[in-house]
Amino acid sequence: MPIFNQAQFVRRAIASLMEQSCAEWELIIVDDGSTDRIDDFLCDLIKDNRITYLSLSENKGIGYALNRGIEIAKYDFIAYLPADDFYDKEHLATLRETLLSNEDIVLAFSGIRYDDSRDSGLITYKNCKGAIPGYSLQLVQVAHRKTADRWTERKECVSEDLFFTFWRKLTDKGCFIPTLRITCEWTNHPYQRHKICGERFGGGLNKYRAFYNVKTPLRFRCTKDKTVDEYEAYRIYREHLPVKTDGLKILIVGELAYNPERILAFEEAGCRLYGLWSKPRFCYSTVGPLPFGNVEDVPYNCWKEKVADIKPDIIYAQLSTSAIELAHEVLTSHTEIPFVWHFKEGPNEAMKAGLWSKIIDLYAYSDGQIFIDEEVKHWFELFLPSKKETPSMILDGDLPKKECFKDDFSPKLSMADGKPHTVVTGRMIGLSLDEYAILAKNGIHVHVYNENHLPYVMSANRYKRIDENHFHVHRHCPQPQWVKEFSKYDAGWLHCLPSYNNGDIMYATWADLNLPARINTLVAAGLPMIQRRNIRNISAQYSRVSHFGMGLFYDKIDELVKQLQNKKLLQRTSDNVMIHRMEFTFDNHVTELIKFFNKVINHTTINRPKLQTTKI
């Protein structure tokens, strides 16, 4: 039984074990660094001489915990009882009976009862005699012979896929056989491990890091086609750690979204950094502990006392919807520290999440405001009281650090076959099936790099059915390989959605106002950027890209075909990208940003309206 902060479940699980018709068992509980007073719930139960209790001083991951239990197990068969699940009375007996029926059987698995509803107000129980559809076999339903095999541990790789982390290691040892009896229950709740880990369930690397307070880099298998290797991605930042000096003390509040390594530019400029992290709302919402740099984490449960001790010069609150509640709490706590708010994610998401009043407070009452572009600034001004004296700044929130902009450019694929090759670095947004058919007919290739989640795979299959020879799906490309991988293409796709606001900010949508993060990725690779012309409309990405002469703009797809076949145009546009390339790094703006912070510090008078304090 591996357990981490599930004291509220554990007694039911153990009670179900005590009632087993098979009495020949031992229970090895491995407490993986719990902080929820688990001892209070176990103190009477562990007096049973069949129960062994191991307590780890800090969380080391489920693989480590399971391996410690297997190493001291006395019996030849290993079963699993997660603290939040439970057995029916015949569960162990039927598993043992199946394993004993044939020595060629290495693993037996029962049927399982589960609730698959995502609606908190609805419980829909289902029965399954094997693996739950869409999942691997769950711990609670499995027993196997004890072998020399061990679970994959955190230091090797993290994944929500139990087949990847262990079951596959037994496939060459014998057969997997079902009992065909439903004898256990899998409990549905928000803190199941697969929901913390799996991007397809709303989890991901950053939710995992925050939930288990992981302080080391991770190799994280997000999906079968995407593994993030932080050891490799952040190697250069870990090998050359900047030395702290006596610059500004900056308290970062919230989360860092994409390209979090950018904050090292602050350290290189002599600043000292502290992090008060929000709960990540999205898989890309980067929070600490960070696997690079010298950021000192501030515990949420005592943040006011800690911040009072640190006495930061400025609070820099950022970046997406995940940050709003915590940033608002800090703003309304009257710390008397100058407060800067920088927002990147779509405000419509904040509206739908019931956070609109808080985000408006953050802009209305902060001491400094940072907007990602002029269009967003004008849009928010529709809602904000007039405060012309408040310092403001324009800065994209997703700028990478300069080390991402390597010079390891690759030869173009078009040099080999004479056909244009274009790339999508993420979701395909705005290219219709009919438009793709015209591209393919003219020999133009589309290469898509994304996370290969099921909706994206299904979408890709629709394009492939039209012409599979010109549509190519690739695995995730990590940041250190951006330039080498993407520079082999002739152009990259931005969000190609038409605008209908007719130049009126009142009717601008988030697609009109946002700067997609992929702009910086494509700039790093020196690629011209494809997008709709939208010339009579407010369009932030069109304004930004056209300002630097980096775009291929079109109204109709035939117009784009001609541009992609024009090698001189492609080269001229690529040359413009290269001229302005380093302006799209965070390093290029950090001096200006620090000057802005000093301006806010010098400008601030601590006389903010007394807003009602809210807790997250």
Side-chain angles (χ1 to χ4, degrees):
M1 176 184 285
I3 184 169
F4 175 71
N5 287 353
Q6 291 183 326
Q8 68 275 19
F9 286 114
V10 69
R11 293 185 70 88
R12 180 186 67 174
I14 295 176
S16 76
L17 178 61
M18 296 287 190
E19 295 177 2
Q20 290 298 294
S21 61
C22 170
E24 297 177 73
W25 53 260
E26 62 168 342
L27 172 62
I28 302 169
I29 302 172
V30 185
D31 171 23
D32 194 12
S34 294
T35 58
D36 62 350
R37 299 182 179 179
I38 183 67
D39 292 351
D40 293 347
F41 291 81
L42 292 177
C43 58
D44 59 323
L45 297 175
I46 59 178
K47 294 176 183 178
D48 190 308
N49 59 15
R50 294 173 294 178
I51 298 178
T52 301
Y53 179 52
L54 303 179
S55 180
L56 306 180
S57 59
E58 63 181 40
N59 183 272
K60 296 197 174 179
I62 192 171
Y64 184 92
L66 291 173
N67 288 340
R68 299 296 79 73
I70 290 174
E71 286 167 1
I72 67 170
K74 293 180 290 189
Y75 291 121
D76 293 330
F77 297 157
I78 306 295
Y80 301 93
L81 179 55
D84 51 345
D85 300 331
F86 64 92
Y87 295 157
D88 295 350
K89 291 183 179 180
E90 299 300 319
H91 180 72
L92 290 181
T94 56
L95 287 172
R96 185 177 67 169
E97 178 183 347
T98 301
L99 285 167
L100 289 172
S101 67
N102 191 318
E103 63 181 13
D104 292 333
I105 299 173
V106 69
L107 181 147
F109 58 94
S110 74
I112 191 168
R113 190 168 52 251
Y114 66 98
D115 163 36
D116 70 345
S117 172
R118 295 191 178 187
D119 186 339
S120 60
L122 179 67
I123 298 178
T124 307
Y125 278 111
K126 293 184 178 180
N127 294 329
C128 179
K129 292 185 177 180
I132 299 171
Y135 299 82
S136 56
L137 291 170
Q138 296 303 307
L139 288 173
V140 68
Q141 66 184 127
V142 168
H144 61 83
R145 297 183 188 274
K146 186 177 181 181
T147 69
D149 300 286
R150 293 295 181 265
W151 287 83
T152 300
E153 297 188 9
R154 177 183 290 163
K155 61 186 178 182
E156 302 170 275
C157 189
V158 175
S159 174
E160 53 88 12
D161 183 352
L162 300 181
F163 182 82
F164 172 79
T165 53
F166 188 70
W167 308 142
R168 66 186 175 92
K169 298 180 181 181
L170 300 177
T171 55
D172 63 345
K173 308 294 192 309
C175 303
F176 289 23
I177 299 296
T179 66
L180 299 178
R181 293 183 59 181
I182 296 163
T183 56
C184 63
E185 186 163 315
W186 191 50
T187 303
N188 183 357
H189 62 88
Y191 303 108
Q192 289 174 282
R193 183 178 178 275
H194 71 280
K195 295 177 183 176
I196 302 297
C197 293
E199 287 191 4
R200 64 193 177 115
F201 305 110
L205 187 153
N206 291 298
K207 286 192 175 182
Y208 179 89
R209 186 196 310 286
F211 188 80
Y212 295 105
N213 194 33
V214 182
K215 296 180 173 64
T216 60
L218 293 167
R219 291 186 183 90
F220 198 92
R221 189 175 184 263
C222 306
T223 70
K224 66 183 181 66
D225 294 304
K226 175 186 174 184
T227 297
V228 175
D229 185 348
E230 292 189 326
Y231 290 94
E232 182 61 30
Y234 299 131
R235 185 181 306 279
I236 57 175
Y237 307 118
R238 293 174 60 80
E239 291 175 350
H240 303 94
L241 295 180
V243 178
K244 298 178 183 178
T245 59
D246 295 326
L248 287 178
K249 290 194 288 186
I250 302 171
L251 172 62
I252 298 170
V253 172
E255 55 86 42
L256 298 172
Y258 296 109
N259 309 315
E261 73 291 333
R262 65 182 180 274
I263 65 168
L264 290 178
F266 282 127
E267 293 192 6
E268 293 170 347
C271 299
R272 285 170 289 175
L273 302 181
Y274 305 85
L276 175 57
W277 306 111
S278 57
K279 294 180 179 179
R281 188 180 184 89
F282 310 107
C283 61
Y284 59 81
S285 301
T286 305
V287 296
L290 298 176
F292 52 78
N294 302 292
V295 179
E296 180 181 332
D297 290 344
V298 176
Y300 173 72
N301 59 1
C302 60
W303 74 262
K304 291 182 181 178
E305 295 83 356
K306 184 67 174 176
V307 169
D309 290 339
I310 294 170
K311 297 181 175 63
D313 297 300
I314 197 149
I315 294 171
Y316 183 20
Q318 57 179 296
L319 186 63
S320 75
T321 312
S322 299
I324 292 174
E325 289 191 278
L326 178 59
H328 190 268
E329 179 183 343
V330 173
L331 174 70
T332 57
S333 293
H334 311 294
T335 62
E336 299 193 352
I337 301 166
F339 184 101
V340 172
W341 172 239
H342 190 176
F343 185 63
K344 168 71 175 180
E345 189 54 54
N348 305 88
E349 171 70 26
M351 287 183 185
K352 291 189 290 184
L355 300 171
W356 185 242
S357 63
K358 292 182 180 179
I359 193 174
I360 292 301
D361 280 349
L362 285 163
Y363 270 124
Y365 299 108
S366 59
D367 303 299
Q369 307 163 339
I370 302 179
F371 301 92
I372 63 170
D373 52 54
E374 289 286 354
E375 290 80 3
V376 166
K377 182 176 186 292
H378 295 157
W379 188 81
F380 267 109
E381 286 171 349
L382 291 172
F383 305 92
L384 297 173
S386 177
K387 286 184 65 180
K388 294 181 180 179
E389 72 281 2
T390 302
S392 66
M393 180 180 178
I394 303 298
L395 182 67
D396 186 2
D398 282 325
L399 295 173
K401 203 167 184 311
K402 63 183 180 182
E403 283 79 2
C404 303
F405 285 48
K406 300 177 181 179
D407 292 326
D408 54 344
F409 294 91
S410 299
K412 301 290 186 187
L413 295 176
S414 56
M415 294 175 63
D417 63 10
K419 301 295 183 181
H421 288 257
T422 65
V423 63
V424 179
T425 58
R427 291 177 295 163
M428 176 99 67
I429 299 178
L431 178 66
S432 72
L433 295 173
D434 290 340
E435 289 172 329
Y436 167 66
I438 295 173
L439 293 177
K441 183 178 179 181
N442 285 275
I444 296 171
H445 294 263
V446 177
H447 298 256
V448 180
Y449 290 75
N450 61 39
E451 320 317 334
N452 287 328
H453 295 165
L454 183 59
Y456 303 156
V457 173
M458 293 174 65
S459 177
N461 288 338
R462 292 161 56 207
Y463 289 89
K464 282 181 171 291
R465 282 195 291 269
I466 292 174
D467 186 318
E468 65 179 359
N469 296 320
H470 291 84
F471 194 89
H472 317 274
V473 177
H474 302 268
R475 292 190 175 190
H476 168 76
C477 178
Q479 189 191 69
Q481 298 174 24
W482 279 356
V483 176
K484 185 175 182 180
E485 183 67 19
F486 297 139
S487 62
K488 62 188 179 183
Y489 301 109
D490 298 293
W493 294 84
L494 295 185
H495 298 176
C496 291
L497 297 172
S499 296
Y500 300 103
N501 57 62
N502 293 315
D504 190 335
I505 193 69
M506 185 77 73
Y507 299 101
T509 66
W510 184 239
D512 300 326
L513 301 171
N514 185 35
L515 292 178
R518 67 182 72 179
I519 289 178
N520 308 311
T521 303
L522 298 175
V523 169
L527 296 187
M529 281 158 262
I530 302 168
Q531 61 180 296
R532 305 271 181 182
R533 186 168 279 112
N534 286 325
I535 196 167
R536 297 180 184 85
N537 295 278
I538 293 170
S539 173
Q541 68 171 10
Y542 176 80
S543 297
R544 183 131 173 99
V545 173
S546 61
H547 173 75
F548 293 103
M550 302 187 304
L552 303 177
F553 307 110
Y554 69 98
D555 292 315
K556 295 186 179 296
I557 201 70
D558 292 332
E559 183 182 1
L560 177 61
V561 169
K562 293 178 181 178
Q563 293 182 69
L564 290 171
Q565 293 173 339
N566 187 334
K567 293 183 179 180
K568 290 183 179 180
L569 174 63
L570 291 175
Q571 185 60 57
R572 184 168 65 248
T573 309
S574 180
D575 290 343
N576 286 338
V577 176
M578 294 302 295
I579 289 171
H580 299 287
R581 188 170 178 244
M582 299 311 292
E583 297 177 44
F584 290 80
T585 66
F586 185 76
D587 308 69
N588 189 68
H589 301 274
V590 73
T591 299
E592 177 190 7
L593 187 53
I594 290 173
K595 288 181 180 179
F596 176 74
F597 288 162
N598 281 310
K599 180 180 179 181
V600 173
I601 292 167
N602 294 330
H603 180 272
T604 301
T605 55
I606 312 301
N607 290 310
R608 302 191 191 100
K610 296 294 183 180
L611 301 177
Q612 182 178 356
T613 302
T614 55
K615 298 290 185 181
I616 65 168

